[in-house]
Amino acid sequence: MSENTQSTRKPRVAVVFGGRSSEHAISVVTAGAVLSAIDRTKYDVLPIGITTDGRWALTADAPERMAIAERSLPTVADLTESEQGGVVLSVDPANREVVYAEPGSVPKALGEVDVVFPMLHGPYGEDGTLQGLLELSGVPYVGAGVLASAVGQDKEYMKRVFTSFGLPVGPYEVIRPREWEQNPAAARKKIVEFAADHGWPLFVKPARGGSSMGITKVDDLSGLDEAIEEARRHDPKILVESLLRGREIECGVLEFEDGPRASVPAEIPPVTDHDFYDFEAKYIDSASGIVPAPIGDEATAEVQRLAVAAYEAVSCEGLVRADFFLTEDGDFVINEINTMPGFTPISMYPRMWQESGVSYPELVDRLIQAALNRSTGLR
């Protein structure tokens, strides 16, 4: 490529979505919203979908086919241009060219990629694995790096980091894979003793999941085994949390030129048709959050401070959504962070920034620009 062509061409953004996790469909929905918002006069866009079995596929640039329709969730398979062709990203930092190949055909060069926007949720994408590949490839990417992504995905270590930085965390217990596989009775007893100390109900969830998948609210001992098995369908390591009584408050953090800033917070009101703010409430029944949260100036300032502190504690980059409980005593307890929060039309992160004066297209642009200005490697 000539120097003149290099200097005049638009940056190419590869939007990578789908993936092997149980959050595959939500990743597709999120990517559709982002594809609709990217300024095509400013960027070239290359959509790349990862199928549920891990194949990187060239997909149609068709955001209208990537939304939830009549309670039906989209998949990468619905969008692929070939059932066998695959996209390959070089791991040579000197070569950012993406190649597309089909069995029996000559590989086709798709051009260089300047930045990746990884719209993947859950394991094999949001947990540092894809970020490690992009580091090896020398391609800048939107969002948290390898360590922050891994910590942000694993709720146990996330809470351990928060505790080490003095952030308020609620009671929890962890059941590791070997504990349940070798001695389920002892693991169950561990949870029962936790319930004796902190009371029922409990929440049993995958330690490294998201989008509220695999979570069960357990009111007593009779529902415990079924809840454990449901969580283990998504992750062999499970997390048990006590019920924190209070209001659910979320706050977004976004990287600006002078550092991370917090958005106005949002409140997730109690949902009447669900036990808690689960997957159906979030994505199917479109439960509405209140933006900004009606919690007063002092509480707003405090949750914004804590959100930025959580972002810094985990060494995040680009963006984070931090989720809190505001207890009946007026204290904030951090539940978790999400290093790649949902960008669906009803997602809270974009809504909070919209209310804070950053439009959806500007939000997407800021994230791309921050990634383009950040090097890969140690930083």
Side-chain angles (χ1 to χ4, degrees):
M1 181 179 296
S2 70
E3 183 176 338
N4 185 57
T5 302
Q6 176 70 36
S7 63
T8 58
R9 74 174 180 87
K10 293 182 289 188
R12 171 168 282 189
V13 181
V15 178
V16 180
F17 60 96
R20 295 161 57 190
S21 83
S22 57
E23 297 178 77
H24 176 97
I26 293 307
S27 173
V28 177
V29 175
T30 302
V34 170
L35 285 169
S36 295
I38 292 179
D39 185 350
R40 304 307 178 98
T41 67
K42 191 172 181 179
Y43 305 105
D44 284 328
V45 178
L46 178 66
I48 299 174
I50 301 178
T51 63
T52 54
D53 59 2
R55 178 172 64 93
W56 287 45
L58 193 61
T59 66
D61 187 359
E64 69 280 359
R65 293 167 53 192
M66 301 168 71
I68 298 174
E70 299 180 352
R71 304 178 78 89
S72 177
L73 297 171
T75 69
V76 167
D78 301 330
L79 301 158
T80 57
E81 300 191 353
S82 166
E83 294 183 358
Q84 293 182 310
V87 174
V88 179
L89 179 67
S90 171
V91 293
D92 178 1
N95 177 18
R96 292 183 179 178
E97 191 160 71
V98 173
V99 173
Y100 176 74
E102 291 196 41
S105 300
V106 177
K108 176 184 176 183
L110 300 179
E112 294 185 358
V113 166
D114 298 290
V115 63
V116 169
F117 204 134
M119 302 310 309
L120 295 151
H121 300 305
Y124 311 110
E126 191 183 355
D127 59 350
T129 51
L130 177 65
Q131 290 73 16
L133 172 63
L134 296 173
E135 292 286 351
L136 289 173
S137 302
V139 180
Y141 53 92
V142 171
V146 175
L147 174 65
S149 296
V151 172
Q153 185 67 34
D154 191 313
K155 295 178 177 62
E156 176 195 358
Y157 288 100
M158 180 198 306
K159 290 175 184 291
R160 290 183 183 276
V161 170
F162 289 158
T163 301
S164 71
F165 277 82
L167 292 166
V169 172
Y172 69 96
E173 187 60 84
V174 177
I175 303 297
R176 299 178 182 279
R178 192 175 294 113
E179 289 182 82
W180 184 253
E181 291 160 5
Q182 293 185 351
N183 195 340
R188 189 183 300 107
K189 181 181 178 184
K190 186 176 173 182
I191 298 173
V192 172
E193 290 174 348
F194 177 82
D197 291 337
H198 301 287
W200 300 90
L202 302 176
F203 287 94
V204 179
K205 60 179 64 175
R208 294 162 291 193
S211 294
S212 296
M213 287 188 168
I215 300 178
T216 305
K217 182 182 178 184
V218 183
D219 293 315
D220 53 45
L221 189 59
S222 64
L224 184 58
D225 283 4
E226 185 178 350
I228 291 171
E229 291 303 328
E230 171 60 17
R232 282 175 51 81
R233 280 200 318 112
H234 298 266
D235 185 351
K237 181 166 80 166
I238 66 171
L239 190 78
V240 180
E241 296 175 336
S242 63
L243 173 67
L244 290 175
R245 302 189 184 278
R247 300 161 68 180
E248 291 190 51
I249 306 296
E250 298 183 349
C251 190
V253 179
L254 178 64
E255 182 179 332
F256 285 77
E257 291 78 9
D258 59 350
R261 300 182 200 170
S263 69
V264 300
E267 179 172 8
I268 307 300
V271 287
T272 56
D273 297 331
H274 304 265
D275 278 345
F276 59 98
Y277 193 46
D278 62 6
F279 178 86
E280 290 273 324
K282 281 182 178 178
Y283 298 110
I284 304 299
D285 294 338
S286 303
S288 298
I290 303 168
V291 188
I295 57 176
D297 293 344
E298 185 175 339
T300 293
E302 175 63 4
V303 76
Q304 288 175 326
R305 182 189 72 80
L306 289 170
V308 172
Y311 177 99
E312 298 283 29
V314 182
S315 298
C316 293
E317 294 168 291
L319 73 164
V320 144
R321 192 195 73 230
D323 301 345
F324 298 86
F325 290 102
L326 177 56
T327 69
E328 296 169 344
D329 295 330
D331 298 320
F332 283 103
V333 175
I334 187 165
N335 184 39
E336 64 183 49
I337 59 170
N338 193 315
T339 58
M340 186 50 71
F343 270 80
T344 65
I346 62 169
S347 294
M348 297 310 301
Y349 185 84
R351 287 185 59 195
M352 288 187 287
W353 279 108
Q354 178 77 41
E355 190 68 23
S356 304
V358 180
S359 70
Y360 191 83
E362 182 186 352
L363 178 61
V364 171
D365 186 70
R366 278 192 170 276
L367 290 169
I368 293 171
Q369 286 298 317
L372 285 167
N373 292 330
R374 188 169 61 232
S375 65
T376 53
L378 298 178
R379 52 187 184 276

